[in-house]
Amino acid sequence: MEPKNLTRVSEFHLLGFSEEPDLQPLIFGSFLTMYLITVFGNLLIILAVSSDSQLHTPMYFFLSNLSFVDICFTSTTIPKMLWNIETQSKLITFEGCITQVYFFTLFVVLDILLLTVMAYDRFVAICHPLHYTVIMNPQLCGLLVLVSWVISVLNSLLESLMVLHLAFCTVLEIPHFFCELNQMIQLACSDTLLNNMVMYSVAFLLAGGPLTGIFYSYSKIVSSIQGMSSAQGKYKAFSTCASHLAVVSLFYCTGLGVYLSSAVTHSSHSSATASVMYAVVTPMLNPFIYSLRNKDLKRGLKTLFEKVTVKCPIVLESRNRGIAIAEPAVWSPRSAARDVSRVRSPPTAVRSSVPTSATRESPGRTRRTRGSQKYSK
Protein backbone atom coordinates (compact mmCIF):
# COMPACT_ATOMS: atom_id res chain seq x y z
CA MET A 1 0.00 0.00 0.00
CA GLU A 2 1.42 3.38 -0.98
CA PRO A 3 1.54 6.01 1.72
CA LYS A 4 -0.96 8.81 1.31
CA ASN A 5 -2.41 11.41 3.63
CA LEU A 6 0.01 10.43 6.36
CA THR A 7 -0.85 12.19 9.61
CA ARG A 8 0.08 11.95 13.24
CA VAL A 9 -2.13 9.16 14.57
CA SER A 10 -3.96 10.02 17.78
CA GLU A 11 -6.77 7.46 17.95
CA PHE A 12 -8.31 4.37 16.34
CA HIS A 13 -11.89 3.17 15.91
CA LEU A 14 -12.73 -0.30 17.22
CA LEU A 15 -15.67 -1.51 15.13
CA GLY A 16 -16.43 -4.50 17.36
CA PHE A 17 -18.94 -7.16 16.38
CA SER A 18 -22.02 -5.25 15.31
CA GLU A 19 -23.15 -1.66 14.93
CA GLU A 20 -26.84 -2.40 15.52
CA PRO A 21 -28.08 -0.68 18.71
CA ASP A 22 -30.47 -3.51 19.56
CA LEU A 23 -27.61 -6.01 19.89
CA GLN A 24 -25.42 -3.88 22.15
CA PRO A 25 -27.15 -4.84 25.46
CA LEU A 26 -26.92 -8.53 24.53
CA ILE A 27 -23.23 -8.24 23.66
CA PHE A 28 -22.55 -6.25 26.84
CA GLY A 29 -24.31 -8.75 29.09
CA SER A 30 -22.70 -11.78 27.45
CA PHE A 31 -19.15 -10.46 27.68
CA LEU A 32 -19.64 -9.13 31.20
CA THR A 33 -20.87 -12.55 32.33
CA MET A 34 -17.97 -14.35 30.69
CA TYR A 35 -15.48 -11.90 32.16
CA LEU A 36 -16.81 -12.27 35.72
CA ILE A 37 -16.83 -16.06 35.42
CA THR A 38 -13.25 -15.98 34.17
CA VAL A 39 -12.00 -13.72 36.95
CA PHE A 40 -13.79 -15.45 39.84
CA GLY A 41 -13.13 -18.98 38.54
CA ASN A 42 -9.39 -18.47 38.13
CA LEU A 43 -9.22 -16.50 41.37
CA LEU A 44 -10.79 -19.44 43.23
CA ILE A 45 -8.11 -21.76 41.85
CA ILE A 46 -5.36 -19.39 43.03
CA LEU A 47 -6.89 -19.13 46.52
CA ALA A 48 -7.48 -22.88 46.76
CA VAL A 49 -3.88 -23.69 45.83
CA SER A 50 -2.44 -21.10 48.20
CA SER A 51 -4.65 -22.08 51.16
CA ASP A 52 -4.23 -25.88 50.97
CA SER A 53 -0.76 -27.13 51.90
CA GLN A 54 -1.35 -30.43 50.10
CA LEU A 55 -1.61 -28.53 46.81
CA HIS A 56 1.84 -26.96 47.16
CA THR A 57 3.26 -29.10 44.36
CA PRO A 58 4.84 -28.12 41.00
CA MET A 59 1.70 -29.06 39.08
CA TYR A 60 -0.57 -26.73 41.04
CA PHE A 61 2.12 -24.05 41.23
CA PHE A 62 2.09 -23.86 37.43
CA LEU A 63 -1.71 -24.05 37.41
CA SER A 64 -2.03 -21.05 39.74
CA ASN A 65 0.36 -19.09 37.50
CA LEU A 66 -1.72 -20.03 34.47
CA SER A 67 -4.87 -18.85 36.24
CA PHE A 68 -3.24 -15.51 37.03
CA VAL A 69 -2.19 -15.10 33.40
CA ASP A 70 -5.73 -15.91 32.22
CA ILE A 71 -7.15 -13.18 34.44
CA CYS A 72 -4.68 -10.67 33.02
CA PHE A 73 -5.28 -12.00 29.50
CA THR A 74 -8.99 -11.23 29.54
CA SER A 75 -8.53 -8.00 31.53
CA THR A 76 -6.44 -6.61 28.68
CA THR A 77 -9.32 -6.51 26.20
CA ILE A 78 -12.76 -7.07 27.77
CA PRO A 79 -13.00 -4.04 30.14
CA LYS A 80 -12.20 -1.63 27.30
CA MET A 81 -14.80 -3.22 25.05
CA LEU A 82 -17.45 -3.04 27.80
CA TRP A 83 -16.57 0.60 28.43
CA ASN A 84 -16.96 1.41 24.73
CA ILE A 85 -20.39 -0.23 24.63
CA GLU A 86 -21.51 1.55 27.79
CA THR A 87 -20.35 4.98 26.61
CA GLN A 88 -21.39 4.30 22.99
CA SER A 89 -17.92 5.27 21.85
CA LYS A 90 -15.59 3.19 19.70
CA LEU A 91 -12.50 5.33 20.10
CA ILE A 92 -9.21 4.18 21.57
CA THR A 93 -6.10 6.32 21.74
CA PHE A 94 -2.92 5.40 19.92
CA GLU A 95 -1.14 4.89 23.23
CA GLY A 96 -3.99 2.72 24.49
CA CYS A 97 -3.88 0.64 21.33
CA ILE A 98 -0.14 0.08 21.62
CA THR A 99 -0.64 -0.86 25.28
CA GLN A 100 -3.26 -3.44 24.32
CA VAL A 101 -0.94 -4.89 21.66
CA TYR A 102 1.90 -5.13 24.19
CA PHE A 103 -0.04 -6.85 26.98
CA PHE A 104 -2.12 -9.05 24.68
CA THR A 105 1.03 -10.37 22.98
CA LEU A 106 2.71 -10.76 26.37
CA PHE A 107 -0.01 -12.89 27.92
CA VAL A 108 -0.64 -14.98 24.79
CA VAL A 109 3.02 -16.03 24.64
CA LEU A 110 3.15 -16.52 28.40
CA ASP A 111 0.06 -18.74 28.22
CA ILE A 112 1.73 -20.89 25.56
CA LEU A 113 4.98 -21.20 27.51
CA LEU A 114 3.22 -22.11 30.75
CA LEU A 115 1.24 -24.83 28.98
CA THR A 116 4.55 -26.18 27.66
CA VAL A 117 6.09 -26.13 31.14
CA MET A 118 3.06 -27.99 32.51
CA ALA A 119 3.46 -30.64 29.79
CA TYR A 120 7.11 -31.09 30.86
CA ASP A 121 5.98 -31.42 34.47
CA ARG A 122 3.57 -34.22 33.53
CA PHE A 123 6.31 -35.89 31.48
CA VAL A 124 8.65 -36.00 34.47
CA ALA A 125 5.88 -37.12 36.85
CA ILE A 126 4.83 -40.09 34.70
CA CYS A 127 8.03 -41.13 32.94
CA HIS A 128 10.41 -40.50 35.88
CA PRO A 129 8.25 -40.79 39.02
CA LEU A 130 11.13 -41.78 41.35
CA HIS A 131 13.15 -38.70 40.44
CA TYR A 132 10.21 -36.29 40.24
CA THR A 133 10.82 -34.45 43.52
CA VAL A 134 14.53 -34.17 42.74
CA ILE A 135 14.08 -32.87 39.18
CA MET A 136 11.07 -30.60 39.78
CA ASN A 137 12.51 -28.83 42.79
CA PRO A 138 11.24 -25.37 43.81
CA GLN A 139 14.29 -23.66 42.30
CA LEU A 140 13.68 -25.20 38.87
CA CYS A 141 9.95 -24.43 38.99
CA GLY A 142 10.60 -20.78 39.81
CA LEU A 143 13.27 -20.59 37.13
CA LEU A 144 10.94 -22.01 34.46
CA VAL A 145 8.25 -19.44 35.30
CA LEU A 146 10.81 -16.62 35.37
CA VAL A 147 12.25 -17.59 31.97
CA SER A 148 8.72 -17.73 30.54
CA TRP A 149 8.06 -14.19 31.79
CA VAL A 150 11.36 -12.86 30.41
CA ILE A 151 10.79 -14.36 26.95
CA SER A 152 7.22 -13.04 26.81
CA VAL A 153 8.20 -9.53 27.92
CA LEU A 154 11.06 -9.27 25.41
CA ASN A 155 8.94 -10.55 22.55
CA SER A 156 6.02 -8.21 23.23
CA LEU A 157 8.42 -5.30 23.66
CA LEU A 158 9.99 -6.04 20.26
CA GLU A 159 6.62 -6.31 18.52
CA SER A 160 5.30 -3.10 20.09
CA LEU A 161 8.40 -1.06 19.28
CA MET A 162 8.24 -2.16 15.65
CA VAL A 163 4.62 -1.00 15.44
CA LEU A 164 5.63 2.43 16.72
CA HIS A 165 7.78 2.98 13.61
CA LEU A 166 4.88 2.36 11.21
CA ALA A 167 3.08 5.17 9.41
CA PHE A 168 -0.71 4.99 9.23
CA CYS A 169 -3.20 6.40 6.74
CA THR A 170 -6.34 8.35 7.49
CA VAL A 171 -8.47 5.18 7.57
CA LEU A 172 -7.97 4.04 11.14
CA GLU A 173 -10.85 1.61 11.63
CA ILE A 174 -9.92 -1.69 13.25
CA PRO A 175 -12.52 -4.38 12.46
CA HIS A 176 -12.04 -6.03 15.83
CA PHE A 177 -13.06 -5.57 19.46
CA PHE A 178 -9.45 -4.94 20.55
CA CYS A 179 -6.16 -3.81 19.01
CA GLU A 180 -4.51 -6.89 17.54
CA LEU A 181 -1.00 -6.88 16.14
CA ASN A 182 -1.97 -8.31 12.76
CA GLN A 183 -4.81 -5.81 12.33
CA MET A 184 -2.58 -2.83 13.08
CA ILE A 185 0.06 -3.98 10.60
CA GLN A 186 -2.61 -4.25 7.91
CA LEU A 187 -3.69 -0.64 8.57
CA ALA A 188 -0.18 0.73 8.05
CA CYS A 189 0.64 2.65 4.86
CA SER A 190 4.40 2.24 5.17
CA ASP A 191 6.45 -0.83 4.31
CA THR A 192 5.45 -3.70 6.60
CA LEU A 193 7.71 -6.41 5.19
CA LEU A 194 10.02 -6.41 8.21
CA ASN A 195 7.07 -6.42 10.61
CA ASN A 196 5.48 -9.39 8.87
CA MET A 197 8.75 -11.30 8.79
CA VAL A 198 9.33 -10.75 12.51
CA MET A 199 5.72 -11.50 13.42
CA TYR A 200 5.56 -14.81 11.52
CA SER A 201 9.05 -15.86 12.57
CA VAL A 202 8.27 -15.24 16.23
CA ALA A 203 4.91 -17.01 15.87
CA PHE A 204 6.67 -20.02 14.34
CA LEU A 205 9.27 -20.14 17.12
CA LEU A 206 7.09 -19.33 20.14
CA ALA A 207 4.01 -21.27 19.02
CA GLY A 208 5.42 -24.07 16.86
CA GLY A 209 8.40 -24.78 19.13
CA PRO A 210 6.35 -25.23 22.33
CA LEU A 211 3.76 -27.26 20.42
CA THR A 212 6.52 -29.61 19.26
CA GLY A 213 7.71 -29.95 22.85
CA ILE A 214 4.17 -30.73 24.00
CA PHE A 215 3.79 -33.41 21.32
CA TYR A 216 7.11 -34.95 22.31
CA SER A 217 6.18 -34.99 26.00
CA TYR A 218 2.84 -36.67 25.35
CA SER A 219 4.36 -39.23 23.00
CA LYS A 220 6.66 -40.30 25.83
CA ILE A 221 3.76 -40.20 28.28
CA VAL A 222 1.59 -42.43 26.06
CA SER A 223 4.37 -44.97 25.61
CA SER A 224 5.03 -44.97 29.35
CA ILE A 225 1.33 -45.48 30.13
CA GLN A 226 1.15 -48.39 27.69
CA GLY A 227 3.99 -50.07 29.56
CA MET A 228 2.08 -50.03 32.84
CA SER A 229 0.61 -53.37 33.93
CA SER A 230 -2.00 -52.01 36.34
CA ALA A 231 -5.25 -50.68 34.89
CA GLN A 232 -5.68 -48.40 37.90
CA GLY A 233 -2.22 -46.94 37.34
CA LYS A 234 -3.03 -46.29 33.69
CA TYR A 235 -6.26 -44.53 34.59
CA LYS A 236 -4.58 -42.40 37.27
CA ALA A 237 -1.76 -41.38 34.93
CA PHE A 238 -4.15 -40.52 32.13
CA SER A 239 -6.48 -38.55 34.42
CA THR A 240 -3.62 -36.27 35.50
CA CYS A 241 -2.95 -35.37 31.85
CA ALA A 242 -6.51 -35.20 30.49
CA SER A 243 -7.25 -31.70 31.79
CA HIS A 244 -4.00 -30.24 30.50
CA LEU A 245 -4.41 -31.93 27.13
CA ALA A 246 -7.95 -30.54 26.81
CA VAL A 247 -6.76 -26.98 27.54
CA VAL A 248 -3.87 -27.26 25.07
CA SER A 249 -6.15 -28.60 22.35
CA LEU A 250 -8.76 -25.90 22.95
CA PHE A 251 -6.20 -23.08 22.95
CA TYR A 252 -4.23 -24.16 19.91
CA CYS A 253 -7.22 -25.26 17.84
CA THR A 254 -9.11 -22.00 18.38
CA GLY A 255 -5.98 -19.91 17.77
CA LEU A 256 -5.13 -21.71 14.54
CA GLY A 257 -8.77 -21.57 13.49
CA VAL A 258 -8.79 -17.79 13.83
CA TYR A 259 -5.82 -17.21 11.57
CA LEU A 260 -6.74 -19.89 9.05
CA SER A 261 -10.29 -18.57 8.73
CA SER A 262 -9.06 -15.00 8.29
CA ALA A 263 -6.58 -16.13 5.62
CA VAL A 264 -9.22 -18.10 3.69
CA THR A 265 -12.34 -15.95 3.99
CA HIS A 266 -10.67 -12.49 4.34
CA SER A 267 -13.63 -11.49 6.52
CA SER A 268 -12.68 -9.31 9.44
CA HIS A 269 -15.94 -9.82 11.34
CA SER A 270 -15.65 -13.62 11.16
CA SER A 271 -12.08 -13.33 12.43
CA ALA A 272 -13.21 -11.15 15.35
CA THR A 273 -15.94 -13.64 16.22
CA ALA A 274 -13.54 -16.57 16.04
CA SER A 275 -10.95 -14.81 18.19
CA VAL A 276 -13.46 -14.77 21.05
CA MET A 277 -12.85 -18.51 21.41
CA TYR A 278 -9.19 -18.27 22.41
CA ALA A 279 -9.27 -14.76 23.91
CA VAL A 280 -12.37 -15.13 26.12
CA VAL A 281 -13.89 -18.62 26.08
CA THR A 282 -10.69 -20.61 26.69
CA PRO A 283 -9.64 -18.66 29.85
CA MET A 284 -13.23 -18.97 31.09
CA LEU A 285 -13.31 -22.76 30.64
CA ASN A 286 -9.89 -23.46 32.19
CA PRO A 287 -11.12 -23.49 35.83
CA PHE A 288 -13.95 -25.87 34.95
CA ILE A 289 -11.68 -28.20 32.97
CA TYR A 290 -9.10 -28.45 35.76
CA SER A 291 -11.55 -28.77 38.64
CA LEU A 292 -14.23 -31.16 37.34
CA ARG A 293 -12.07 -34.31 37.26
CA ASN A 294 -9.47 -33.30 39.83
CA LYS A 295 -10.20 -34.64 43.31
CA ASP A 296 -7.31 -32.78 44.95
CA LEU A 297 -8.46 -29.44 43.58
CA LYS A 298 -12.05 -30.20 44.60
CA ARG A 299 -10.83 -30.88 48.12
CA GLY A 300 -8.86 -27.64 48.11
CA LEU A 301 -11.92 -25.68 46.97
CA LYS A 302 -14.03 -27.37 49.63
CA THR A 303 -11.47 -26.48 52.29
CA LEU A 304 -11.44 -22.89 51.08
CA PHE A 305 -15.24 -22.63 51.26
CA GLU A 306 -15.25 -24.13 54.76
CA LYS A 307 -12.71 -21.58 55.93
CA VAL A 308 -14.77 -18.74 54.50
CA THR A 309 -18.22 -19.86 55.66
CA VAL A 310 -17.40 -21.22 59.13
CA LYS A 311 -18.53 -19.01 62.04
CA CYS A 312 -16.03 -18.67 64.84
CA PRO A 313 -15.52 -16.17 67.69
CA ILE A 314 -13.65 -13.05 66.74
CA VAL A 315 -10.64 -12.48 68.93
CA LEU A 316 -9.37 -8.93 69.07
CA GLU A 317 -5.88 -8.55 70.46
CA SER A 318 -4.72 -5.31 71.92
CA ARG A 319 -1.01 -4.90 71.22
CA ASN A 320 -0.61 -1.94 73.54
CA ARG A 321 -2.17 -3.52 76.66
CA GLY A 322 -1.78 -7.18 75.80
CA ILE A 323 -5.51 -7.86 76.40
CA ALA A 324 -7.55 -10.30 74.32
CA ILE A 325 -11.28 -9.59 74.08
CA ALA A 326 -13.51 -12.41 72.85
CA GLU A 327 -16.76 -11.35 71.22
CA PRO A 328 -19.69 -13.78 70.93
CA ALA A 329 -20.37 -15.13 67.49
CA VAL A 330 -24.16 -14.80 67.88
CA TRP A 331 -25.82 -11.76 69.48
CA SER A 332 -29.27 -11.78 71.06
CA PRO A 333 -31.22 -9.30 73.25
CA ARG A 334 -31.24 -11.77 76.14
CA SER A 335 -27.45 -12.10 76.09
CA ALA A 336 -27.11 -8.33 75.88
CA ALA A 337 -29.40 -7.84 78.90
CA ARG A 338 -27.44 -10.46 80.83
CA ASP A 339 -24.19 -8.66 80.06
CA VAL A 340 -25.66 -5.34 81.23
CA SER A 341 -26.89 -6.88 84.51
CA ARG A 342 -23.43 -8.30 85.12
CA VAL A 343 -21.90 -4.90 84.65
CA ARG A 344 -24.39 -3.19 87.00
CA SER A 345 -24.19 -5.76 89.81
CA PRO A 346 -21.23 -5.28 92.22
CA PRO A 347 -18.59 -7.99 92.21
CA THR A 348 -18.86 -10.84 94.73
CA ALA A 349 -15.41 -10.22 96.08
CA VAL A 350 -16.26 -6.64 97.02
CA ARG A 351 -19.46 -7.63 98.85
CA SER A 352 -17.67 -10.24 100.91
CA SER A 353 -14.70 -8.03 101.75
CA VAL A 354 -16.77 -5.03 102.97
CA PRO A 355 -19.14 -6.03 105.85
CA THR A 356 -22.36 -4.06 106.34
CA SER A 357 -24.03 -2.99 109.57
CA ALA A 358 -26.58 -5.84 109.31
CA THR A 359 -23.90 -8.49 109.17
CA ARG A 360 -21.58 -6.86 111.75
CA GLU A 361 -22.25 -8.67 115.08
CA SER A 362 -20.55 -8.67 118.49
CA PRO A 363 -19.21 -11.88 120.08
CA GLY A 364 -21.68 -11.73 122.96
CA ARG A 365 -24.68 -11.43 120.72
CA THR A 366 -23.46 -14.35 118.72
CA ARG A 367 -23.17 -16.48 121.86
CA ARG A 368 -26.74 -15.47 122.97
CA THR A 369 -28.14 -16.37 119.60
CA ARG A 370 -26.54 -19.78 119.72
CA GLY A 371 -27.84 -20.31 123.28
CA SER A 372 -31.39 -19.44 122.29
CA GLN A 373 -31.17 -21.90 119.45
CA LYS A 374 -30.14 -24.65 121.92
CA TYR A 375 -33.02 -23.69 124.30
CA SER A 376 -35.54 -23.86 121.49
CA LYS A 377 -34.34 -27.35 120.69
Side-chain angles (χ1 to χ4, degrees), residues 275-294:
S275 63
V276 176
M277 291 300 298
Y278 79 93
V280 181
V281 177
T282 302
M284 181 186 67
L285 294 179
N286 283 354
F288 299 100
I289 294 175
Y290 279 107
S291 60
L292 287 178
R293 297 176 57 87
N294 195 318

Side-chain angles (χ1 to χ4, degrees), residues 25-56:
L26 178 61
I27 296 174
F28 182 87
S30 302
F31 276 86
L32 179 61
T33 303
M34 289 189 291
Y35 178 68
L36 292 178
I37 293 175
T38 302
V39 172
F40 286 114
N42 287 283
L43 187 61
L44 282 177
I45 289 183
I46 296 174
L47 294 176
V49 172
S50 60
S51 62
D52 193 351
S53 60
Q54 297 184 5
L55 298 180
H56 293 174

Side-chain angles (χ1 to χ4, degrees), residues 357-370:
S357 58
T359 58
R360 192 179 295 118
E361 297 178 354
S362 60
R365 184 178 179 181
T366 304
R367 285 193 296 269
R368 287 194 301 271
T369 305
R370 290 177 180 176

Side-chain angles (χ1 to χ4, degrees), residues 85 217 265 319:
I85 295 176
S217 299
T265 60
R319 295 182 179 181

